[in-house]
Amino acid sequence: MLKTKVVLSFPPSSVEEPITYHLIKDFGIMVNILRASISPGKKGRMVVELSGEESIRSQALNYLESKGVEIDELAAEIRYLENRCASCTACVPVCPTGALDVDRNNWKVSFFEDKCVVCLSCVDACPYRAVEIGPE
Amino acid sequence: MQRSIDEINNKIKDGSVVVFTAEEIIDVVKAKGVKRAAQEVDVVTTGTFSPMCSSGAFLNLKQPREKIKLGGGWISLNGVPAYAGLAAADIYIGATAIQHNDPRNDNGKPGKFRYGGAHVIEDLVTHKKVQLSAGAYGTDCYPNKKREDWIDLADTNDAFLFNPRNCYQNYNVAVNLSDETIYTYMGKLKPKLGNANYCSAGQLSPLLNDPYFRTIGIGTRIFLCGTEGYIAWAGTQHNPDIPRLDNGTPRSAAGTAALVGNLKDMHPEWLRAVSFTGYGVSLSVAVGIPIPILDEEMMAYVSVTDADLKAPVVDYSRFYPYGEGDPKLAEVSYAELKSGQIEINGQKVPTGCFSSYVNAQRVALTLKAQIDQGEFFLTQPVSLLPGPADKKEK
Ligand code: SF4
Ligand code: SF4
């Protein structure tokens, strides 16, 4: 079971669609609405916490994107999941500060939180989903 | 000096076998020379852990009481379509298949490809339940037309990984000459030579340690995702006729192997789904191939170092997709790639990799320990992988 906090920005066209209803009913996702500002005809914004199995959460996020909803993960910090990290080094050249770096003696990649400026470059670059955006 | 597979297996049985990894053997050969090392060492183990899209698994599903003929119908697992063009209960789930409602790259931005066939395979190996939806046209013997269920590996009669292509013998180093970031199967490539990505275990990589396929072929027993697997065939795109260096290794992508192994015995630690932003889903698997030291020639091959192995630097903005421009911008060694920086046209370019060297080392060490402890025996291939038409080609 995974939990993420995301900001959903709705285009005016989908403000009137029962999107949270579909998330719960069609995908079985748990939706916890933390903040919302929605008015008909205007762009809506909602801060929600979504929890569910990865395969289901993925279908729910796919559904939102297909409705034109923009999804921004709340970025306050980068979470490095050591047990998922394969030490492949794909993130090393894209990290501007050396927060993700490899020890070339033993080829282990490590994350130095104090050096991280939360630029998010590594999130797209890591194929093993070992870096996640952490909530506020 | 000559040594047979039978002799090696007898030594594994009586516990006297001498095994090193392809990394450790480098110092042994440096200290003792090829001739003495060949006399003393019986087996060298290799390893790799890299994404390869040409991966997937055959599953044979246990039938519900009212039987269903999946062949000619359709099926999805966790929303990911699997191939149902086989018999009533056989399906193939490919690593790159994605959920029906995945927006792909169609939203004007690179897709995230959060979940696909490789993730289904990883979930199965982790013994999670996956949601099955299937439809069929119904026959007198298979009347059921719809199945909705949750299944795990225990609900299959058979489940085996079958990867049509793995273990690429060498590969391109990808760069981007254009002015915009591009998203490829070689990762995110920043504009104007912003970074260079490669994908090989270099000196530990299985097929680079037997460049002419003198010992590896159909029926070779291998380490595959924590259990034993086999080489089933030459992999798709296997091409031995590639220009080579004096040490016999190809100067670009050459040989490949098709692999098979029992999914039910695999361990999630050695099999990982990967998502390439803007490109798609793929699967990384752990493969280790033991190389029998039949003679001095084999010892010379397994002693190659990263400095002796070269890969071509290829532009993925114009040359790879459109065939335009310079086919090869430079040739660099794996030692240079692993230093973290290479030089292309006088520009210093930082390097990154998708192949995990740490895991490659762990595979080679695990296989070494299994052979040492008499748990893994070598096989005589039924037929070797095809080598170059002219072995002497340079
Ligand atoms: S968010 Fe930026 S600074 Fe932090 S680890 Fe990732 S790439 Fe480095
Ligand atoms: S790209 Fe991801 S898996 Fe690879 S070293 Fe970086 S954090 Fe680890």
Side-chain angles (χ1 to χ4, degrees), chain A residues 80-82 84-92 94 100-102 107-111 122 125-131, chain B residues 272 353-354 356:
Chain A
Y80 169 69
L81 308 173
E82 196 180 348
R84 278 196 177 184
C85 176
S87 279
C88 67
T89 75
C91 56
V92 174
V94 306
L100 281 161
D101 206 359
V102 58
W107 292 99
K108 285 225 161 60
V109 168
S110 310
F111 176 59
C122 54
C126 174
Y128 293 92
R129 295 158 295 141
V131 278
Chain B
R272 295 282 308 279
C353 188
F354 295 109
S356 164

Side-chain angles (χ1 to χ4, degrees), chain B residues 116-295:
Chain B
H119 298 85
V120 173
I121 296 170
E122 187 182 318
D123 278 350
L124 287 172
V125 170
T126 317
H127 296 284
K128 280 192 189 166
K129 291 238 178 237
V130 299
Q131 187 175 21
L132 178 156
S133 301
Y137 51 79
T139 69
D140 290 340
C141 42
Y142 292 96
N144 201 337
K145 290 189 179 166
K146 196 161 171 45
R147 184 173 176 200
E148 295 285 340
D149 216 341
W150 286 86
I151 62 156
D152 61 20
L153 267 190
D155 300 307
T156 65
N157 291 311
D158 311 280
F160 54 90
L161 193 74
F162 188 94
N163 294 353
R165 179 164 72 257
N166 256 141
C167 297
Y168 237 127
Q169 202 173 19
N170 193 355
Y171 212 70
N172 295 340
V173 179
V175 295
N176 172 10
L177 287 180
S178 78
D179 296 333
E180 278 164 39
T181 295
I182 57 172
Y183 294 86
T184 73
Y185 69 89
M186 293 296 284
K188 178 179 179 177
L189 297 172
K190 296 200 281 185
K192 298 187 183 139
L193 296 172
N195 57 334
N197 283 342
Y198 66 104
C199 191
S200 171
Q203 62 196 16
L204 267 178
S205 180
L207 301 191
L208 283 174
N209 281 284
D210 183 5
Y212 293 114
F213 319 109
R214 287 185 70 228
T215 70
I216 298 175
I218 297 168
T220 295
R221 185 180 293 133
I222 60 171
F223 175 98
L224 184 60
C225 304
T227 182
E228 70 181 32
Y230 291 88
I231 292 180
W233 205 254
T236 51
Q237 295 178 23
H238 176 83
N239 180 7
D241 295 311
I242 294 289
R244 286 165 189 268
L245 300 172
D246 286 341
N247 60 25
T249 58
R251 296 171 67 178
S252 57
T256 70
L259 309 180
V260 59
N262 192 350
L263 204 65
K264 294 190 179 191
D265 294 334
M266 292 182 182
H267 197 279
E269 172 189 0
W270 298 117
L271 177 148
R272 295 282 308 279
V274 290
S275 299
F276 284 96
T277 302
Y279 183 74
V281 174
S282 188
L283 185 70
S284 284
V285 295
V287 186
I289 302 185
I291 314 269
I293 304 302
L294 303 179
D295 51 24

